Amino acid sequence: MNKTYTAIKLVLGDQLNLNHPWFKEVDEDVLFVMMEVRSETDYVKHHIQKVVAIFDAMRKFAKIQEEKGHHIHYIKINDSQNKPTITENLKSVCSKYAAKEVHYQLPDEYRVDQELKQLEKNLGIPIHNSDTQHFLTTRGEFGEFFSGKKSFLMENFYRYMRVKHRILLELGNKPIGGKWNFDQENRKKVPKNHAIQTVGLFTKNVSDILDDIHLAGLKTIGEISPTKFSWTTTRTEALELLEQFVTTALPLFGTLQDAMTEQHWYLYHSRLSFAMNIKLISPLEVIKRVEKAYLENSDAYELNQIEGFIRQILGWREYMRGVYWSQMPSYAALNFFENKRSLPSWFWNGKTKMNCLKHAISQSLEHAYAHHIQRLMVTGNFSLLAGIHPDEVDNWYLGIYIDAFEWVEITNTRGMSQFADGGIVGSKPYVSSSAYINKMSDYCGSCYYSNDKKVGDKACPFNSLYWNFFDNHAEKLRSNPRLGMMLKIWNNMAPKERSEILSQASVYLDKIELL
Ligand code: FAD
Ligand code: DLZ
Ligand code: SF4
């Protein structure tokens, strides 16, 4: 006869918070259930490193909790009892252990939220939910903050968050340094001959998990070195990465935050997003650690580095989550520009002559990572200029990045990058010609294309596609005060030049596979 448990508590793969109140004390009547489940591995084709990292983190989390005395029922991907969905697995576990109730923490994704809301109907026993206690806002706080306001300005939300959590504040709720935002100082290219001080990489062996994934026949994308796996999968590693980042990379984070280089795939970025998104480490402890570094040693850090980093987490990260829960499910169908094109096949192998895209895509396939400006101003910029359907763009980002979970992926991709929401997240589309990429990177120098040509042999595709974008969407862009100047420049160009640029763009779009 099986031991019975009064309550089953579900722990999802991105709810690995060792400090959650559920785990304060061992309760003999509670069975925690964790599962490697096809509905979560298969809703999009994930990067192999993302699946490995999640399974590794889940297995290690379960082991730590078991060692503390908690009862864990862990379903591995190839277990014969494993069912295809969360609900079916819960049903079978509840029946096996005669459970009388199920508890879950609010999931971060709408898809899973919908499934868990049906549990009571499907399992026929009482269901309770509670907060993950991980974010700095509740799901509804964003909606309350912006209630009655015309636009969702991130800067206003960010200031509210600075005051609410008392971060980088002087007495009287004034910002330390006299300014809330030091972004103007954070737009430098990597200087010539600059020796990049890197934060080290972990090199772990994940061969066993990889074998399990292959045996299960999961379809994935991307590459992996199973004996040199670098992503953080435990809280101890996440804390170590944070310390390394604070001492090594933070002093230059802000200044080189937007820079791109062929030499290095993460430069001075923290690579903490995955650890935060699966809840190994909380956003508040990351913010507090960075603030402490500055307050204790303001000679070693300039305020722009610190404020720039904190804004991303305290501001943008919470803001995106707020947009997600206030706008879903309609957000997932928005397509402001009515784009229709498919992504070119080289997004899955990096085989393009455009050096910026080759680097951004190849490193994404190799490491499941690209930093913010690569995502926004290289792959995202190209996709928008080429008129790719936002569903295609979303699926690519959701699959390829280690840190991609829909709440933060779709708001950044469909919203900030593709402007498919018509301006909920951003006040203008993030498009640029080669000028921006050349200013912020060393990509153009060794590119097949000429960054200073709009038309003709080897003209950089970004240049003609940029003006083609304004021409195509003039009607929709006219009322945007931030774009009036560019539309004016386009309208004032000589008719011959305009026509040559549009023909060049049309040729490039027709042979997009060969770019
Ligand atoms: P760092 O540069 O070190 O920044 C520190 C932290 O700030 C990050 O770890 C992250 O938690 C937070 N952050 C920075 N920018 C953002 C932002 N715009 N939105 C939310 N949090 C932010 N981030 C994800 O976590 N998951 C995604 O799926 C994702 N998709 C993106 C898609 C596009 C098109 C764009 C433009 C951005 C996307 N981002 C996403 C935001 C950002 O690019 C990543 O958070 C960042 O690159 C992660 O690397 P890092 O930890 O080294 O970040
Ligand atoms: C992303 C992911 C993957 C690939 N696999 C699993 C899994 O097998 N089991 C699991 O519990 N979670 C997984 N996840 C993370 C979930 O997709 C995530 O918990 C939900 O989307 C809620 O945000
Ligand atoms: Fe990219 Fe154009 Fe520069 Fe080549 S020339 S790296 S395609 S921006």
Coordinates of all heavy atoms in Angstrom, one line a residue, residues 12-14 35-37 40-41 43 46 50-51 54-55 58 107-109 111-112 405, ligand 2:
L12 N 6.8 24.0 -10.8 CA 7.2 24.0 -12.3 C 8.7 24.3 -12.5 O 9.4 24.7 -11.5 CB 6.4 25.1 -12.9 CG 4.9 24.9 -13.0 CD1 4.1 26.2 -13.5 CD2 4.6 23.7 -14.0
G13 N 9.1 24.1 -13.7 CA 10.5 24.2 -14.0 C 11.1 25.6 -13.9 O 12.3 25.8 -13.9
D14 N 10.2 26.6 -13.8 CA 10.8 28.0 -13.6 C 10.3 28.5 -12.2 O 10.2 29.7 -12.1 CB 10.3 28.9 -14.7 CG 8.9 29.1 -14.9 OD1 8.1 28.3 -14.2 OD2 8.4 29.9 -15.6
M35 N 7.8 17.7 -12.7 CA 7.8 16.8 -13.9 C 8.5 17.3 -15.1 O 8.4 18.5 -15.4 CB 6.3 16.5 -14.2 CG 5.5 17.7 -14.6 SD 3.7 17.4 -14.8 CE 3.1 17.4 -13.2
E36 N 9.2 16.5 -15.8 CA 9.7 16.8 -17.1 C 8.6 16.4 -18.1 O 8.3 15.2 -18.2 CB 11.0 16.1 -17.4 CG 12.1 16.5 -16.4 CD 13.3 15.6 -16.4 OE1 13.4 14.6 -17.1 OE2 14.2 15.9 -15.5
V37 N 7.9 17.4 -18.7 CA 6.7 17.0 -19.4 C 6.6 17.5 -20.8 O 7.1 18.6 -21.1 CB 5.5 17.6 -18.5 CG1 5.6 19.1 -18.3 CG2 4.1 17.2 -19.0
E40 N 5.4 21.0 -21.9 CA 6.3 22.1 -21.7 C 7.6 22.0 -22.6 O 8.1 23.1 -23.0 CB 6.7 22.3 -20.3 CG 5.5 22.7 -19.4 CD 4.7 23.9 -19.9 OE1 5.3 24.9 -20.0 OE2 3.6 23.7 -20.3
T41 N 8.0 20.8 -22.9 CA 9.2 20.8 -23.8 C 8.8 21.0 -25.2 O 9.7 21.3 -26.1 CB 9.9 19.4 -23.7 OG1 8.9 18.4 -24.0 CG2 10.4 19.1 -22.3
Y43 N 6.0 23.0 -26.7 CA 5.1 24.0 -27.1 C 5.8 24.9 -28.2 O 5.2 25.7 -28.9 CB 4.5 24.9 -26.0 CG 5.5 25.7 -25.2 CD1 5.9 26.9 -25.6 CD2 6.0 25.2 -24.0 CE1 6.9 27.6 -24.9 CE2 7.0 25.9 -23.3 CZ 7.4 27.1 -23.8 OH 8.3 27.8 -23.1
H46 N 12.7 24.2 -28.6 CA 13.6 25.0 -27.7 C 15.1 24.7 -28.2 O 15.4 23.6 -28.7 CB 13.5 24.5 -26.3 CG 12.2 24.8 -25.6 ND1 11.8 26.0 -25.1 CD2 11.2 23.9 -25.4 CE1 10.6 25.9 -24.6 NE2 10.2 24.7 -24.7
K50 N 18.7 25.0 -23.5 CA 17.6 25.5 -22.6 C 16.9 24.3 -21.9 O 16.7 24.3 -20.7 CB 16.6 26.3 -23.4 CG 15.4 26.9 -22.7 CD 14.6 27.7 -23.6 CE 13.3 28.2 -23.0 NZ 12.4 28.7 -24.0
V51 N 16.7 23.2 -22.7 CA 16.0 22.0 -22.1 C 17.0 21.4 -21.1 O 16.6 21.0 -20.0 CB 15.6 21.0 -23.2 CG1 14.8 19.9 -22.6 CG2 14.8 21.7 -24.3
I54 N 17.1 23.5 -17.9 CA 15.9 23.4 -17.1 C 15.9 22.0 -16.4 O 15.6 21.9 -15.2 CB 14.7 23.7 -17.9 CG1 14.7 25.2 -18.1 CG2 13.4 23.2 -17.2 CD1 13.5 25.7 -18.9
F55 N 16.1 20.9 -17.1 CA 16.1 19.6 -16.5 C 17.2 19.5 -15.4 O 16.9 19.0 -14.3 CB 16.3 18.5 -17.5 CG 15.1 18.2 -18.4 CD1 14.0 19.0 -18.4 CD2 15.1 17.1 -19.3 CE1 12.9 18.8 -19.3 CE2 14.1 16.8 -20.1 CZ 13.0 17.7 -20.1
M58 N 16.1 21.5 -12.4 CA 14.9 20.9 -11.7 C 15.4 19.7 -10.9 O 15.1 19.5 -9.7 CB 13.9 20.4 -12.7 CG 13.1 21.5 -13.4 SD 12.0 20.9 -14.7 CE 10.7 20.0 -13.8
P107 N 1.6 30.5 -12.2 CA 2.7 30.3 -13.2 C 2.9 31.7 -13.9 O 2.1 32.6 -13.8 CB 2.1 29.3 -14.2 CG 0.6 29.5 -14.0 CD 0.3 29.9 -12.6
D108 N 4.0 31.7 -14.6 CA 4.4 33.0 -15.3 C 3.8 33.1 -16.7 O 3.9 34.2 -17.3 CB 5.9 33.1 -15.3 CG 6.5 33.4 -14.0 OD1 5.8 33.8 -13.1 OD2 7.7 33.2 -13.8
E109 N 3.3 32.0 -17.2 CA 2.9 32.1 -18.6 C 1.4 31.8 -18.7 O 0.8 31.0 -18.0 CB 3.7 31.0 -19.4 CG 5.1 31.4 -19.5 CD 5.9 30.5 -20.5 OE1 5.7 29.3 -20.5 OE2 6.7 31.0 -21.3
R111 N -0.4 30.4 -21.0 CA -0.8 29.1 -21.5 C -0.9 28.2 -20.3 O -1.9 27.4 -20.1 CB 0.3 28.6 -22.4 CG 0.2 27.2 -22.9 CD 1.5 26.7 -23.6 NE 2.5 26.4 -22.6 CZ 3.6 27.1 -22.4 NH1 3.7 28.3 -23.0 NH2 4.5 26.8 -21.4
V112 N 0.0 28.2 -19.4 CA 0.0 27.3 -18.2 C -1.0 27.8 -17.2 O -1.7 27.0 -16.6 CB 1.4 27.2 -17.6 CG1 1.4 26.3 -16.4 CG2 2.5 26.8 -18.6
F405 N 11.0 33.0 -21.7 CA 9.7 32.6 -21.2 C 8.8 33.6 -21.7 O 9.1 34.8 -21.8 CB 9.8 32.5 -19.7 CG 10.8 31.5 -19.2 CD1 12.1 31.8 -19.0 CD2 10.3 30.2 -18.9 CE1 13.0 30.9 -18.6 CE2 11.3 29.2 -18.5 CZ 12.6 29.5 -18.3
Ligands
DLZ2 C1 10.7 25.7 -20.6 C2 10.4 24.4 -19.8 C3 10.8 23.2 -20.4 C4 11.5 23.2 -21.7 N1 10.5 22.0 -19.8 C5 9.8 22.0 -18.7 C6 9.5 20.8 -18.1 O1 9.7 19.7 -18.6 N2 8.8 20.8 -16.9 C7 8.5 22.0 -16.3 O2 7.9 22.0 -15.2 N3 8.8 23.2 -16.9 C8 9.4 23.2 -18.0 N4 9.7 24.4 -18.6 C9 9.3 25.6 -18.0 C10 7.8 25.8 -18.1 O3 7.6 26.0 -19.5 C11 7.4 27.0 -17.3 O4 7.3 26.5 -16.0 C12 6.0 27.4 -17.6 O5 6.0 27.9 -18.9 C13 5.5 28.5 -16.7 O6 6.2 29.7 -16.9

